[in-house]
Amino acid sequence: MPAKPLVLADVEIAVGPRVLLRRLNLTIGAGETHILFGPNGSGKSSLLSAIMGLPPYHVTRGEVRLGGERIDNLPVDARARLGLGMAFQRPPELDGVTITALARALRADAGLADAAAVLDLADFVRRDINVGFSGGEIKRWEILKLFLQRPQICLFDEPESGVDLEHIAAVGAAMERLLGRDGTGDQRRSALIITHTGFILDHVQAGMGHMLVNGEIICSGDPNRLFAHIKSHGYTLPPWASEPAAAASDERIAS
Amino acid sequence: MTTSLREDITVEEKALLAEVGYEEENERAGTCVLVDQAVRHIGLTDNAVEILPLAEALRRYDWVQDLMFGLIDPDEDERIAEVAESRHAPVGHFVRVLEGAKVRLPIQLFTLLAAPQGRQFHHNITVIEKGAEVEMISGSAVPRSVHAGHHVSLSESYLREGAICRSVSIEHWAANMEVHSYARSRLEKNAHATDSVIQLAPVKHHVSQSRSYLEEGATANDQSVIYAPVGTTRIMDSETWLKGQGSRSESITRMVTAGGVISNRSTLIGDASGTSGFLGCNGLKLTDEGEIFSVPALRALNAQAQLSHEASIGMIDQEKLSYLMASGMSEDEARDLIIQGFLNLDEQKIPEAVREEVIRAIAAARSGAM
Ligand SMILES: Nc1ncnc2c1ncn2[C@@H]1O[C@H](COP(=O)(O)OP(=O)(O)OP(=O)(O)O)[C@@H](O)[C@H]1O
Ligand SMILES: [Mg+2]
């Protein structure tokens, strides 16, 4: 399955009557990596969940398109089969369902041992998913899950938070490998990555960053520059930043 | 020990029994197969194990008559009374593990109902003597060609002082059968029992009643997985009596209805000081049809008894379903995985030998193939 661009055009996201995000315009081109910054409660996880199609998040305005096909009305499994995958911030515990059982259900048992070793989870394959996992183990498992699933567009919700300094390099390397940037010849996947710490910027090459405040993308630009700005000035509009509705991004949405 | 019967079981029968735990007899310390109203086959590979038809055991050992109806009142109900009427010529097995023996391989015990519309009345007695240790696998099966019949069984188990028994039972009756089973067990001082019960196949009406009596320092752990598709009714009634000082028990029941009826009444009675017990009853209801009626009850007769229970009935959690679907599986596949997980038995408690059969039985049950 070739990578396809993911496009959000004037999207509003709500839970029931409550609008959480609005006026979202975002294009992630095939093979691109984007970073999403924003304070707690700004709507980052809600955005990823809505793109993935997870209840109770609904797109109540605008469109989400994957390679030209509208996906915002499709159920979550259909979106997954079209190539979307997500590493959850707070995944549920699945009593009695082992990592091995999930790999088998995804017909990915062949690659399990290797991928698990990369993420230092070789001893976990017989354990129930997320049951009793530590914070860092959950994060590593969520990335391992994407290795089994091999989606074209990977949505990462704080993949490095809670991961210790020794494992963070492994997480970074695994993400790089998953996204096809480590030269192993795997095809390039696209990504949208939420981060607070910016750690991940040392490991994956991201082309674009976005700042989400109060349910709106207030600016986009070079992710390293954006992160440097946030570190010194908080989640404020940088003087150099392009406004989200600037001509350049409008052009991309139209394409 | 003598082997009194060696009449063979057919290849087809072996294949059928393999689904409920049968393995070649060199992998077992002892084997007993009851077919319809007769003890068809007994095989032994361990000198510390004795298996006899109960009728023969009664003739051979005068003390066996004191064990028979030692834990169950012959007049308790009409079905028991019916079995008790033929107590002079009972059909069933007598299993004995000799004092102090650590039996390496499991004992396997099977019941086959082979005659369509057959009626079985079995009485089984088990004695694990002082300090002995054993694993038991018991299974019941019915050929595919038999749809209806009636099975009634009484079983009385005696675990003598310090005896250890780990048992697994897998029941695979036919969709139109009626089954009544009565189980009684006495755990003497410091005895320990671990029981796993697997009832996943459809059966029209299954009533099971069990009572266990724990003496000083005895411990019992049991876990049951119960499945009821449309057309299946299971009525379970169990009592665990913590009669001796410091006796302990833990009982976990997992029930899934896909349209059938499950009624589970389990009572834990704390009747001595320093006793502790836990009842866990969890139900999963997959459709609007059918019913789960779950009554975990605690009864304290002693001030130093610590009893607790946990009960829940729910549907499949939407968040878990979405989580799995987000990885690309269909809703059905995600449901299957969650149900299978819910019914999963604690692997450490299941002897290696039956694990595969269990997984297969669960897979068949959830796909509705059984
Ligand atoms: N299911 C929901 N029902 C109601 N409100 C919700 C729901 N999900 C999120 N919200 C609210 O929407 C806002 C955004 O939440 P979200 O989880 O998307 O934030 P976030 O940017 O990911 O924050 P954090 O950095 O803390 O993870 C919060 O105020 C949250 O309480
Ligand atoms: Mg979040």
Side-chain angles (χ1 to χ4, degrees):
Chain A
M1 200 188 319
K4 297 170 192 160
L6 177 73
V7 178
L8 276 72
D10 192 27
V11 164
E12 179 183 273
I13 291 162
V15 170
R18 186 171 170 201
V19 175
L20 302 178
L21 296 118
R22 62 191 73 72
R23 287 186 282 280
L24 298 171
N25 289 296
L26 177 68
T27 296
I28 301 174
E32 291 179 9
T33 292
H34 290 219
I35 308 287
L36 189 59
F37 300 104
N40 293 142
S42 57
K44 302 179 297 300
S45 295
S46 305
L47 171 57
L48 263 55
S49 300
I51 294 172
M52 191 70 234
L54 293 167
Y57 303 93
H58 290 286
V59 172
T60 44
R61 224 190 110 113
E63 292 185 1
V64 180
R65 291 192 297 265
L66 184 62
E69 182 180 355
R70 197 167 165 184
I71 61 165
D72 49 89
N73 288 319
L74 297 179
V76 54
D77 54 325
R79 296 190 209 193
R81 281 194 293 275
L82 285 173
L84 281 172
M86 174 162 160
F88 284 53
Q89 182 179 14
R90 276 186 304 269
E93 297 185 359
L94 296 179
D95 286 300
V97 183
T98 61
I99 288 180
T100 304
L102 184 116
R104 208 179 299 130
L106 295 179
R107 287 153 206 98
D109 5 6
L112 177 60
D114 274 353
V118 168
L119 286 153
D120 199 15
L121 289 172
D123 296 340
F124 282 64
V125 297
R126 301 231 149 256
R127 279 183 59 174
D128 293 355
I129 291 168
N130 295 322
V131 178
F133 285 19
S134 75
E137 287 161 358
I138 286 175
K139 297 293 165 180
R140 276 144 57 205
W141 152 245
E142 286 297 310
I143 293 165
L144 173 55
K145 185 187 74 181
L146 294 184
F147 266 95
L148 302 176
Q149 188 182 344
R150 313 196 78 72
Q152 286 312 311
I153 299 177
C154 302
L155 308 170
F156 294 97
D157 198 339
E158 299 189 25
E160 86 285 25
S161 77
V163 177
D164 66 46
L165 285 172
E166 274 175 40
H167 282 106
I168 202 141
V171 164
M175 285 173 66
E176 198 179 18
R177 187 169 138 188
L178 182 66
L179 300 177
R181 311 291 156 73
D182 68 341
T184 52
D186 206 350
Q187 109 197 81
R188 283 170 83 91
R189 299 184 157 78
S190 325
L192 178 57
I193 307 173
I194 297 175
T195 181
H196 286 297
T197 67
F199 257 130
I200 216 65
L201 294 172
D202 301 336
H203 296 277
V204 298
Q205 275 179 28
M208 182 63 86
H210 308 277
M211 196 196 293
L212 188 70
V213 177
N214 265 328
E216 291 192 54
I217 294 177
I218 63 162
C219 70
S220 302
D222 177 75
N224 292 294
R225 208 169 161 204
L226 205 50
F227 184 60
H229 169 82
I230 293 165
K231 273 200 285 192
S232 44
H233 300 97
Y235 296 97
T236 58
L237 193 63
W240 49 263
S242 67
E243 291 285 338
S249 66
D250 266 351
E251 253 167 53
R252 294 178 45 156
I253 289 159
S255 69
Chain B
M1 285 311 118
T2 44
T3 301
S4 52
L5 285 163
R6 274 213 176 274
E7 194 183 331
D8 257 347
I9 31 181
T10 65
V11 175
E12 292 78 34
E13 286 168 340
K14 279 186 186 176
L16 203 56
L17 294 177
E19 294 174 16
V20 292
Y22 179 86
E23 277 213 11
E24 285 306 327
E25 294 182 28
N26 54 2
E27 293 297 320
R28 297 296 194 232
T31 300
C32 181
V33 182
L34 279 76
V35 181
D36 295 329
Q37 261 320 76
V39 180
R40 164 89 72 82
H41 173 83
I42 290 176
L44 291 168
T45 64
D46 191 315
N47 289 332
V49 176
E50 184 177 20
I51 304 178
L52 295 169
L54 181 58
E56 192 177 324
L58 281 166
R59 282 192 293 275
R60 188 173 303 185
Y61 303 116
D62 61 2
W63 47 268
V64 174
Q65 58 192 293
D66 303 325
L67 303 182
M68 196 172 168
F69 291 106
L71 298 175
I72 193 163
D73 177 355
D75 299 318
E76 190 173 313
D77 77 18
E78 59 199 66
R79 279 202 184 74
I80 298 175
E82 208 175 340
V83 179
E85 255 174 43
S86 54
R87 76 181 89 173
H88 55 285
V91 176
H93 61 238
F94 168 79
V95 175
R96 177 185 179 200
V97 179
L98 297 186
E99 184 169 333
K102 307 280 182 249
V103 179
R104 198 175 54 85
L105 297 170
I107 293 173
Q108 57 182 2
L109 308 163
F110 300 100
T111 301
L112 201 60
L113 185 109
Q117 293 290 2
R119 286 164 66 78
Q120 285 181 313
F121 297 93
H122 292 175
H123 196 146
N124 299 318
I125 292 182
T126 303
V127 183
I128 317 292
E129 291 184 347
K130 190 172 168 182
E133 195 175 331
V134 69
E135 260 178 37
M136 308 244 251
I137 294 158
S138 50
S140 49
V142 174
R144 303 277 184 271
S145 57
V146 174
H147 311 146
H150 191 186
H151 170 92
V152 180
S153 69
L154 312 186
S155 75
E156 297 178 273
S157 303
Y158 295 85
L159 273 66
R160 303 301 191 197
E161 186 176 337
I164 297 175
C165 182
R166 281 180 293 274
S167 76
V168 178
S169 79
I170 309 176
E171 301 195 3
H172 193 152
W173 302 107
N176 263 320
M177 265 186 77
E178 269 201 61
V179 178
H180 290 83
S181 50
Y182 302 84
R184 298 289 183 275
S185 48
R186 181 199 285 166
L187 279 65
E188 294 182 6
K189 188 175 173 184
N190 296 331
H192 178 63
T194 302
D195 284 304
S196 301
V197 174
I198 298 153
Q199 298 179 352
L200 303 172
V203 57
K204 187 164 140 207
H205 196 78
H206 188 168
V207 179
S208 56
Q209 194 212 55
S210 67
R211 304 283 179 263
S212 42
Y213 307 97
L214 280 66
E215 295 176 3
E216 187 184 337
T219 54
N221 274 293
D222 60 79
Q223 48 174 350
S224 310
V225 293
I226 311 292
Y227 184 83
V230 175
T232 289
T233 297
R234 297 187 192 278
I235 297 168
M236 303 174 284
D237 169 18
S238 70
E239 288 180 8
T240 304
W241 287 82
L242 302 171
K243 295 189 79 66
Q245 199 184 342
S247 55
R248 286 176 289 128
S249 77
E250 184 183 293
S251 160
I252 309 282
T253 306
R254 298 274 170 89
M255 303 164 275
V256 176
T257 170
V261 173
I262 300 173
S263 163
N264 176 36
R265 185 183 296 273
S266 44
T267 309
L268 187 56
I269 302 112
D271 194 13
S273 69
T275 54
S276 65
F278 174 77
L279 284 178
C281 303
N282 304 107
L284 197 57
K285 194 163 187 314
L286 302 180
T287 64
D288 283 337
E289 289 166 274
E291 171 179 340
I292 296 180
F293 181 61
S294 175
V295 189
L298 307 177
R299 187 170 163 214
L301 302 173
N302 186 292
Q304 313 296 321
Q306 272 209 0
L307 311 175
S308 64
H309 73 73
E310 195 181 279
S312 69
I313 299 176
M315 51 184 184
I316 290 189
D317 186 68
Q318 180 63 48
E319 192 194 358
K320 294 178 184 174
L321 213 49
S322 304
Y323 177 78
L324 290 174
M325 288 165 71
S327 70
M329 42 183 111
S330 67
E331 182 166 346
D332 281 347
E333 288 173 307
R335 267 174 194 281
D336 284 358
L337 213 52
I338 292 169
I339 297 166
Q340 195 181 4
F342 180 81
L343 289 177
N344 228 354
L345 292 157
D346 184 349
E347 288 198 358
Q348 279 104 49
K349 290 181 187 160
I350 304 287
E352 184 72 47
V354 266
R355 220 170 273 167
E356 249 171 60
E357 275 88 11
V358 174
I359 291 167
R360 196 171 339 119
I362 289 174
R366 71 194 152 84
S367 68
M370 284 174 78

